[in-house]
């Protein structure tokens, strides 16, 4: 059930796809008519038909790519979470990826340099700000 | 050629300009008569896209919850149907026509809810220990929240479509960015709860944990721990929810008991919590104020204020600014780093507001998932 629903959520709407394909077909027809009009030396009509044809062709392709991009974007990204392990006695600090079972203040095995137990001092994710900060 | 183009726009006699002229008149009429309807269809489309995304997030949440239960709880049967039943749970708030005593009624309802959810989790995941039960409960609650958001948005979407009411659709479309932000926050919370990672809301327990680490702790009601710690020449009773499982405890009951234990001889109560930041403010910024810094339904804040007023104890608050997304997703580095700044601020508050030898209570408020003591 869950897989099916995810697929339903992921797919491009049939209605939208049909509109895009319709516009694509019409734009190609417009370009063909434009060529015909140009060949019989009706330049004004040819100009209009070319303009309409290329504009709608561009628009249809743009909408199609945008929709595909939106579908691709529909996934939940797991942030990379890091664990800081420290030895309080000798000050050795090690940063590694989070492992299930880690928690802050958890005592780990003995330090390589001294006999003290290492301890998890922080678990965090680093976020790179995508948005521009507002300076007003 | 230019004259040909000009002629086309000024409704000339040739067929192309006549067609363009007719089309523009037709468009004017269509927009005049059906403009609002077209606008509504555009809005419905936008809502539909968001609803599709919400459905995806909700299904992912359900999947994560089921997978985590299977992995940790080692159930003998498939937990899917139990999870589906769990996701539909609801809580009825107490009647408020006569508000006297409503806080304790709400407290009771929340206690019943909590124990019921924990029992359900234990049944779903028999192999899990106390910490894992708390984490699984939090995971399922996040999935539950996502399910609820999806159902409410879907309700208004279908209602708007059925009635073709611009105002229903417009209201929904206007609040959707905020709804989506919240849904995305819960979706990242799910993973954090499933893996037992500290979340942004856990900055209060993190500070309390840093203060009490290495000192003897004892349990206080409900699901909280306290340690007596020497701090700047004073005795600090440091309180936090019992970790590292996902748990907020009941700091209201804990503070009340500590104040009563000390017969009200507490010089100051300082509460540390995550505070919602406004747009434009920096994540991890530390701010100071007055009052009971605690969120939730208000039961704990009420109990704390009641105990403080009884003995006229001053209450100070230190918050770490973060938005809703940061509060429920894995703790950001800025927030983890802010814990040390909070301790520095705590030192100055204690030095300024209390005398040497005084007894104070320091409370780290928030979900202690991934933070021990």
């Amino acid at each position: 059930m869950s897989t099916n629903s995810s697929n339903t959520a992921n797919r491009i709407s049939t209605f939208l796809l049909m509109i895009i394909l319709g516009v694509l077909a019409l734009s190609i027809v417009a370009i063909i008519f434009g060529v015909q009009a140009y060949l019989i030396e009706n330049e004004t009509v040819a100009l209009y038909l070319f303009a309409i044809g290329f504009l709608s062709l561009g628009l249809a392709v743009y909408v199609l790519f945008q929709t595909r991009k939106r579908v691709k974007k529909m996934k939940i990204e797991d942030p990379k979470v890091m664990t800081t392990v420290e030895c309080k006695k000798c000050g050795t600090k090690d940063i590694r990826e989070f492992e299930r079972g880690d928690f802050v203040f958890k005592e780990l095995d003995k330090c390589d340099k001294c006999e003290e137990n290492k301890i998890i001092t922080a678990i965090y994710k680093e976020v790179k700000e995508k948005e521009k900060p507002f300076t007003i | 050629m230019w004259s040909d183009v000009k002629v086309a726009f000024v409704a000339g006699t040739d067929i192309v300009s006549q067609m363009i002229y007719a089309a523009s008149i037709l468009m004017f009429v269509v927009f005049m008569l059906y403009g609002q309807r077209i606008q509504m269809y555009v809005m419905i489309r936008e809502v539909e896209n968001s609803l599709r995304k919400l459905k995806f997030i909700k299904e992912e949440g359900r999947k994560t919850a089921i997978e985590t239960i299977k992995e940790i709880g080692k159930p003998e049967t498939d937990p899917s149907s139990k999870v589906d039943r769990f996701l539909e749970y609801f809580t009825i708030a107490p009647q408020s026509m006569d508000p006297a005593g409503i806080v304790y009624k709400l407290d009771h309802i929340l206690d019943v809810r909590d124990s019921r959810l924990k029992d359900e989790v234990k049944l779903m995941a028999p192999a899990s220990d106390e910490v894992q039960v708390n984490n699984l409960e939090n995971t399922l609650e996040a999935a539950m929240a996502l399910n609820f958001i999806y159902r409410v948005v879907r309700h208004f979407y279908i209602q708007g479509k059925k009635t073709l009411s611009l105002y229903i659709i417009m209201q929904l479309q206007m609040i959707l960015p905020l709804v989506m932000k919240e849904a995305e926050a819960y979706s990242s919370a799910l993973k954090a709860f499933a893996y037992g990672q500290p979340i942004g809301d856990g900055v209060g327990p993190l500070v309390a944990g840093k203060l009490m680490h290495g000192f003897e702790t004892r349990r206080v009601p409900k699901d909280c721990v306290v340690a007596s710690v020497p701090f700047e020449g004073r005795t600090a009773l440091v309180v936090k929810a019992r970790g590292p499982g996902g748990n907020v405890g009941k700091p209201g009951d804990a503070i009340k008991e500590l104040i009563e234990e000390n017969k009200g001889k507490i010089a100051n109560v300082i509460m540390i919590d995550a505070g919602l930041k406004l747009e434009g403010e920096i994540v991890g910024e530390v701010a100071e104020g007055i009052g009971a810094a605690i969120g939730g339904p208000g039961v704990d804040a009420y109990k704390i204020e009641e105990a403080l007023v009884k003995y006229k104890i001053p209450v100070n608050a230190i918050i770490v600014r973060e938005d809703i997304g940061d509060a429920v997703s894995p703790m950001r580095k800025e927030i983890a780093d802010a814990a040390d700044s909070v301790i520095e601020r705590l030192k100055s508050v204690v030095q300024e507001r209390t005398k040497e030898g005084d007894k104070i209570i320091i409370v780290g408020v928030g979900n202690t998932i991934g933070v021990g003591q």
Side-chain angles (χ1 to χ4, degrees):
Chain A
M1 184 186 127
S2 128
T3 327
N4 287 345
S5 305
S6 299
N7 288 343
T8 323
N10 264 327
R11 69 181 166 83
I12 303 173
S13 146
T14 326
F15 178 67
L16 186 69
L17 204 67
M18 273 170 64
I19 291 178
I20 294 170
L21 289 176
V23 173
L24 259 172
L26 285 175
S27 58
I28 291 165
V29 169
I31 292 167
I32 293 167
F33 281 172
V35 173
Q36 278 177 351
Y38 184 75
L39 290 176
I40 56 167
E41 290 180 0
N42 194 347
E43 283 174 350
T44 319
V45 174
L47 179 81
Y48 278 117
L49 286 170
F50 277 138
I52 292 167
F54 283 114
L55 253 169
S56 35
L57 187 76
L59 204 72
V61 171
Y62 174 75
V63 173
L64 189 70
F65 273 96
Q66 281 297 308
T67 318
R68 275 181 61 86
K69 211 168 130 187
R70 210 165 41 223
V71 172
K72 265 188 197 167
K73 255 168 74 175
M74 214 187 275
K75 61 173 185 189
I76 302 159
E77 279 173 29
D78 278 346
K80 202 173 179 186
V81 179
M82 308 307 291
T83 298
T84 308
V85 180
E86 272 182 69
C87 173
K88 289 283 178 191
K89 198 176 174 186
C90 64
T92 318
K93 201 171 172 180
D94 181 29
I95 297 170
R96 60 162 168 82
E97 264 193 63
F98 175 87
E99 287 165 14
R100 189 170 256 175
D102 281 357
F103 64 86
V104 182
F105 307 123
K106 183 185 184 183
E107 282 198 7
L108 302 171
D109 49 346
K110 290 211 181 325
C111 176
D112 299 332
K113 290 179 187 168
C114 55
E115 281 301 293
E116 192 79 6
N117 277 352
K118 286 189 282 185
I119 187 173
I120 295 177
T121 52
I123 296 170
Y124 57 83
K125 66 167 178 187
E126 274 186 273
V127 180
K128 280 180 193 146
E129 291 284 358
K130 286 174 195 162
E131 288 171 26
K132 264 188 184 173
F134 288 93
T135 47
I136 298 169
Chain B
M1 192 185 130
W2 171 242
S3 62
D4 287 342
V5 175
K6 211 168 100 185
V7 162
F9 283 103
V10 193
T13 48
D14 64 299
I15 186 71
V16 175
S17 52
Q18 288 289 339
M19 274 170 66
I20 289 173
Y21 186 66
S24 59
I25 296 287
L26 190 74
M27 270 176 73
F28 178 72
V29 173
V30 166
F31 277 109
M32 204 170 68
L33 296 176
Y34 297 102
Q36 204 182 49
R37 188 157 282 209
I38 292 168
Q39 193 185 354
M40 195 169 66
Y41 281 123
V42 171
M43 282 182 187
I44 286 176
R45 196 94 209 130
E46 267 179 50
V47 174
E48 205 175 290
N49 282 335
S50 301
L51 192 61
R52 205 170 280 134
K53 193 170 179 190
L54 273 178
K55 190 176 183 181
F56 172 75
I57 294 174
K58 176 201 81 139
E59 289 298 339
E60 281 295 305
R62 179 182 172 275
K63 218 161 71 181
T64 309
I66 293 171
E67 277 166 12
T68 315
I69 288 170
K70 280 181 182 168
E71 202 180 323
I72 295 172
K74 309 268 184 299
E76 284 167 9
T77 54
D78 184 22
S80 305
S81 60
K82 280 181 189 161
V83 168
D84 287 336
R85 208 178 67 188
F86 191 102
L87 296 182
E88 298 295 325
Y89 272 177
F90 56 85
T91 308
I92 301 169
Q95 186 50 253
S96 59
M97 276 194 294
D98 178 11
I102 196 168
V103 174
Y104 290 95
K105 284 188 208 167
L106 181 61
D107 192 26
H108 172 66
I109 295 282
L110 293 174
D111 280 348
V112 173
R113 178 182 184 269
D114 190 46
S115 68
R116 172 83 194 265
L117 296 186
K118 278 203 171 77
D119 288 346
E120 288 285 339
V121 173
K122 278 177 202 160
L123 281 175
M124 273 187 245
S128 50
D129 58 26
E130 198 192 342
V131 170
Q132 286 164 340
V133 166
N134 283 340
N135 291 354
L136 284 175
E137 190 199 347
N138 281 198
T139 310
L140 283 162
E141 279 197 65
M144 206 195 251
L146 285 171
N147 188 44
F148 181 71
I149 293 172
Y150 168 72
R151 286 193 300 132
V152 171
V153 173
R154 186 184 58 181
H155 165 75
F156 285 110
Y157 163 74
I158 295 173
Q159 202 176 49
K161 248 186 137 174
K162 265 187 185 170
T163 57
L164 279 182
S165 161
L166 177 71
Y167 299 100
I168 293 176
I169 294 290
M170 202 190 255
Q171 283 184 64
L172 186 58
Q173 192 250 0
M174 284 194 289
I175 60 157
L176 256 180
L178 300 176
V179 173
M180 292 309 289
K181 197 174 172 187
E182 198 158 329
E184 277 160 18
Y186 277 118
S187 130
S188 43
L190 249 156
K191 297 275 167 156
F193 289 137
Y195 295 131
Q197 294 163 342
I199 57 170
D201 186 45
V203 67
L206 180 66
V207 173
K210 283 193 177 214
L211 293 173
M212 66 164 65
H213 183 64
F215 292 91
E216 200 186 327
T217 60
R218 67 180 166 96
R219 291 179 78 159
V220 276
K222 190 192 160 197
D223 291 336
C224 287
V225 287
V226 61
S228 183
V229 177
F231 188 74
E232 299 295 304
R234 286 85 170 156
T235 305
L237 299 170
V238 185
V239 183
K240 74 181 272 292
R242 190 162 169 266
N247 174 29
V248 286
K250 279 190 151 187
D253 288 340
I255 294 173
K256 205 171 168 181
E257 183 165 305
L258 290 175
I259 290 173
E260 293 297 342
E261 255 179 28
N262 289 279
K263 296 181 177 63
K265 283 173 188 150
I266 298 290
N268 214 311
V269 173
I270 305 164
M271 301 184 75
I272 304 146
D273 196 5
L276 273 187
K277 81 173 185 78
L278 300 173
E279 287 297 342
E281 289 175 341
I282 301 160
V283 178
E285 203 176 50
V286 179
E288 199 185 310
I290 305 293
I294 185 163
V299 174
D300 284 288
Y302 179 87
K303 285 180 186 170
I304 293 165
E305 285 162 2
E306 209 181 34
L308 295 174
V309 167
K310 187 178 172 189
Y311 294 102
K312 300 272 180 284
I313 303 167
V315 58
N316 288 281
I318 298 174
I319 59 156
V320 177
R321 293 194 204 278
E322 51 194 85
D323 70 20
I324 178 79
D326 299 324
V328 294
S329 60
M331 190 181 278
R332 283 175 65 156
K333 192 171 189 305
E334 295 92 324
I335 299 170
D337 292 344
D340 293 326
S341 318
V342 172
I343 292 173
E344 288 310 309
R345 190 68 75 94
L346 202 55
K347 281 179 186 167
S348 66
V349 172
V350 168
Q351 281 164 2
E352 287 162 16
R353 306 270 158 233
T354 60
K355 295 190 291 288
E356 269 194 44
D358 277 349
K359 201 171 234 184
I360 57 169
I361 296 177
I362 297 171
V363 196
V365 180
N367 193 324
T368 190
I369 189 161
V371 181
Q373 49 269 335

